[in-house]
Amino acid sequence: MQNQSLRRNPPTWLPTTMSESEWQRLAPLALVFLVLTGTQKFVRENLFLFVGAGAGAAFLDWMGPRELLLGLLAVFLIIVASAMIYHRRFRFRLEDDAVRVRRGLLVRKELRIRFGRVQNIQLGQPFYFRPFGLVRFSLETPGATEKEVELPGIPMALAERMRDRIAGLAAVDTEQDEPAADRAEGHSDRTLFAAGSWRLFVHGLSSNQIWLLVGAFAYLFGTFSERVLRRLADTPVAEDIARTAPTGWLLWLGLLVFIAVGLFMLSGLLSLIRFHAFSLVDRDGRLVGVGGLLDRREQTVRRAKITGLTLRQTALGRLWGSWYLLVRQTRSGQDEMNGARQGFIVPGLRRDDTSLVGELVPGWQVPEQFALISARYRRRYWLLGLILFSVPLLMLSIWLGQGHPVVLLVGLGLAITTLITHLRYRRWGWALDKGQLWVRQGMLGQSLDVFELDRVQQAQVVQSPYQRRHQLANLNLILPQGTVSVPFLPLDDAAALANQALYAAETSMMHRV
Amino acid sequence: MTNSEVVFSNREVDPGELPDYRDVALQPVVAAYLPHALLTTGGFWAVVVTVALVAPRLPFIGLDLGWWPALMLVPAVWFTVLTWLDVRRRGWALREHDLIYRSGVIWRKTVIVPFARIQHVETASGPLERWFGLMRVKCFTAGGMMADLSVEGLDESLAQRVRQFLLEQIRDDAEPESSPQPTDLAADDHV
């Protein structure tokens, strides 16, 4: 269904009958993609040099615009040249159960990905690929630090055939009656969820990217406001401002509201562009998410490769009643550091849509009630906060006097810490339903993790002296997608959960990852 | 419709009847681990204390702090005592299906790793460990950096046997899909 909008007839210059077991090259247009991603990478990796400590403006002053342009041109040429070499050397080949890729600028690398290992198939179509029926095709395997195979710029039809072959082949494992080839053609699509534009906009309003935008704006404002104001001072507008000086605070308030509204709108629009016409489809048992305006992305995931789900609501999302869902899969140590990999996100959910969890993984449902952790968690951290703050508070109030702003600030810090402890305590919760464990955490927002106990890779039970005195423990369950922890459980509960997880992991022969 | 669901939908387990990891009697670490641990911790702090005492008196620094730097002895003694207690508490055990390792004095930690989840095993020993005839067994599971368990306090033959045992366990219940197979071939592989 959604897929139709992606599909275009393959260009005539590329024969569709070309045998897929031959070494193949990327389409010429892939160069555009390589150059663009190369430029993007260059900007991302060197931005901090420019931005760092407001050096950008100083740098611009120091270097003439002509030199700057020349330098940028040189960089661009290098990027284009390396993209051309990369493109020239790039070859890929399909085998019965694997795909092989040869690539490399200086060192030639060869990569072979077995289809059985693939946990995520992505088809992306940047807008400039659309008229030519090309797509970017990438495969992800567990433990990979990056998408191991990315084929930018191959015909849509080929990519779709590869996708069906990879996902279809996997289906043969469990349903042997149906040959994969037959199934590949006629898809039985069932839409599980479709997000309207308004919901996607709201997703953007509540997304944490708003803080990023605020940061970027504050930086730009800090760097350029001085120049702008200096220039403004010479214009008649300055006189107008000077005349309204008595009501100046109103002006500033208005400006602030204006900026805030603008940033929210921007965040909403970014989300609209990113997820445009998002829909989640069940295609022959596989999960497919499609969305995006400028770069239409389609992600295919086999249910067996889902290691857990996360339902999340940001603090702002609570105002709007907006949730989103993350499909969790095995990840590498690298992700934890930079969080670079864009996961499988289902945006724009409402409270009632959280039942979608059961559609994604049959049998899963959001529990009505969560068991809370021990109230000693709150008491412990309240006490720690009190001790931590009271000493400086006492010393400062003797030194500076009780009404001093610094003293009030520290007092406020104490109050906020106390409140945060309370909020966090109230959010912590867990629920065990048959084999699935739900863990809830958060502060103003909340995050609900669910996984099957047999996915547990390691169980850790940790106790501090205080916890030992009160028969409590922290439980860390290490999962392929990361660690889920529950603090301050009664020791017997923690041990029982660990025992159950181990039993589940040891009796199930599946998922070594 | 995956196998895992079939395995899981048909079981109702009474948690009370499950084997409890707490009931297992853990093996203490080998005797040689104590001098090794004390030597590494004590050695580290000896260096710190010496630097703290000597550095201010060097001619080109010439600070006279008196004997105040000797206060560094307090954490040195504290951490050495902790190490000693830690070694006495450290323990490990192999069950039919998992490996248990306990460590820590203040924060006491017990880690349990099912064999079925271990991706690979290796042994390692530094020069000092070799001097004492010690060896570590490292187990790697999926789940990122936090997921690597290093079992310390085994002697060389024991470590080799544990490693061998773990490897056999891994091989036993390996299924075809997850059999160790390189996904990433070396650069000179192409023909």
Side-chain angles (χ1 to χ4, degrees), chain A residues 269-394:
Chain A
L269 282 178
L270 283 179
S271 157
L272 252 181
I273 291 170
R274 185 173 162 206
F275 294 110
H276 175 73
F278 181 88
S279 71
L280 184 71
V281 173
D282 180 301
R283 182 176 298 159
D284 300 331
R286 290 169 259 143
L287 286 178
V288 183
V290 197
L293 188 64
L294 297 179
D295 180 10
R296 192 151 183 81
R297 285 148 46 94
E298 179 201 284
Q299 284 197 73
T300 308
V301 167
R302 279 197 287 140
R303 283 203 164 91
K305 297 277 184 189
I306 297 176
T307 57
L309 298 174
T310 304
L311 261 174
R312 208 169 272 174
Q313 187 176 41
T314 61
L316 286 169
R318 253 179 101 184
L319 294 176
W320 301 99
S322 169
W323 292 72
Y324 64 95
L325 197 141
L326 285 167
V327 177
R328 311 300 298 265
Q329 296 188 291
T330 307
R331 63 181 193 173
S332 65
Q334 210 78 26
D335 302 335
E336 286 165 44
M337 314 294 276
N338 51 28
R341 190 187 287 181
Q342 279 201 337
F344 193 139
I345 298 179
V346 183
L349 300 176
R350 290 184 186 285
R351 176 80 233 185
D352 332 329
D353 296 323
T354 50
S355 60
L356 194 64
V357 168
E359 291 274 13
L360 295 192
V361 183
W364 286 7
Q365 56 175 344
V366 185
E368 303 274 309
Q369 281 199 322
F370 284 88
L372 294 183
I373 59 173
S374 163
R376 289 191 187 274
Y377 171 89
R378 188 170 52 177
R379 210 184 294 176
R380 185 69 179 160
Y381 284 103
W382 272 351
L383 191 69
L384 279 177
L386 204 64
I387 292 168
L388 220 67
F389 275 95
S390 63
V391 174
L393 202 62
L394 208 71

Side-chain angles (χ1 to χ4, degrees), chain A residues 13 17 46 69 79 96 100 130 134 142 171 195 203 207 216 225 240 249 367 369 428 433 450 466 473 505:
Chain A
W13 48 263
T17 50
N46 295 285
L69 210 66
I79 290 172
D96 283 342
R100 254 176 204 274
R130 214 164 290 169
L134 295 176
H203 175 76
S207 157
S225 63
D240 291 345
W249 64 272
Q369 281 199 322
W428 276 113
D433 182 13
V450 58
Y466 176 81

Side-chain angles (χ1 to χ4, degrees), chain B residues 67-146:
Chain B
W67 285 100
W68 279 108
L71 271 182
M72 289 301 282
L73 276 171
V74 176
V77 171
W78 169 250
F79 281 108
T80 312
V81 170
L82 274 192
T83 305
W84 180 64
L85 291 173
D86 174 49
V87 171
R88 285 184 15 150
R89 269 195 47 84
R90 232 169 238 265
W92 61 283
L94 286 167
R95 283 200 294 184
E96 233 175 293
H97 295 288
D98 46 35
L99 167 67
I100 304 178
Y101 191 61
R102 185 181 65 190
S103 59
V105 190
I106 295 183
W107 287 86
R108 293 188 184 166
K109 181 172 178 179
T110 309
V111 183
I112 310 117
V113 188
F115 298 148
R117 295 290 175 266
I118 298 177
Q119 289 183 324
H120 88 150
V121 185
E122 64 181 44
T123 52
S125 56
L128 203 62
E129 284 173 301
R130 283 200 293 277
W131 176 264
F132 285 104
L134 294 170
M135 201 175 249
R136 278 167 287 156
V137 177
K138 288 168 124 181
C139 304
F140 297 88
T141 60
M145 309 261 190
M146 237 184 111

Side-chain angles (χ1 to χ4, degrees), chain A residues 110 112 454 458-459 463 506, chain B residues 98 108 112 117 147 183 190:
Chain A
E110 178 155 332
R112 182 176 180 274
D454 66 336
Q458 241 180 71
Q463 281 186 297
E506 285 157 8
Chain B
D98 46 35
R108 293 188 184 166
I112 310 117
R117 295 290 175 266
T183 50
H190 55 78

Side-chain angles (χ1 to χ4, degrees), chain A residues 100 102 107-114 116-117 148 173-174 302 304-305 330-334 336-337 361-362 434-435 452 454-465 467-468 474 476 478-480 482-483 491-492 495 498-500 502-513, chain B residues 1-5 7-9 11-13 15 18-22 95 97-99 105-119 139-149 169-179 181-191:
Chain A
R100 254 176 204 274
R102 276 186 197 167
V107 183
R108 211 138 83 148
K109 286 182 218 153
E110 178 155 332
L111 215 65
R112 182 176 180 274
I113 309 284
R114 281 188 314 120
R117 295 272 303 165
E148 278 186 59
D173 292 343
T174 46
R302 279 197 287 140
K305 297 277 184 189
T330 307
R331 63 181 193 173
S332 65
Q334 210 78 26
E336 286 165 44
M337 314 294 276
V361 183
K434 295 194 196 85
E452 288 203 20
D454 66 336
R455 296 278 184 180
V456 166
Q457 306 285 308
Q458 241 180 71
Q460 302 181 344
V461 180
V462 188
Q463 281 186 297
S464 71
Q467 290 173 325
R468 280 199 294 279
N474 295 350
N476 303 331
I478 294 178
L479 293 154
T483 304
L491 178 63
D492 287 331
N499 288 332
Q500 257 172 292
L502 293 167
Y503 173 77
E506 285 157 8
T507 48
S508 114
M509 301 308 278
M510 289 286 287
H511 350 280
R512 194 197 293 282
V513 182
Chain B
M1 303 304 137
T2 63
N3 280 342
S4 66
E5 283 154 32
V7 170
F8 270 93
S9 56
R11 264 173 222 267
E12 287 292 331
V13 189
L18 289 177
D20 192 338
Y21 74 92
R22 291 177 293 177
R95 283 200 294 184
H97 295 288
D98 46 35
L99 167 67
V105 190
I106 295 183
W107 287 86
R108 293 188 184 166
K109 181 172 178 179
T110 309
V111 183
I112 310 117
V113 188
F115 298 148
R117 295 290 175 266
I118 298 177
Q119 289 183 324
C139 304
F140 297 88
T141 60
M145 309 261 190
M146 237 184 111
D148 310 333
L149 171 67
Q169 298 299 319
I170 294 172
R171 206 170 301 135
D172 276 355
D173 39 45
E175 36 157 350
E177 196 202 43
S178 59
S179 60
Q181 186 160 356
T183 50
D184 188 339
L185 296 180
D188 54 0
D189 169 75
H190 55 78
V191 198

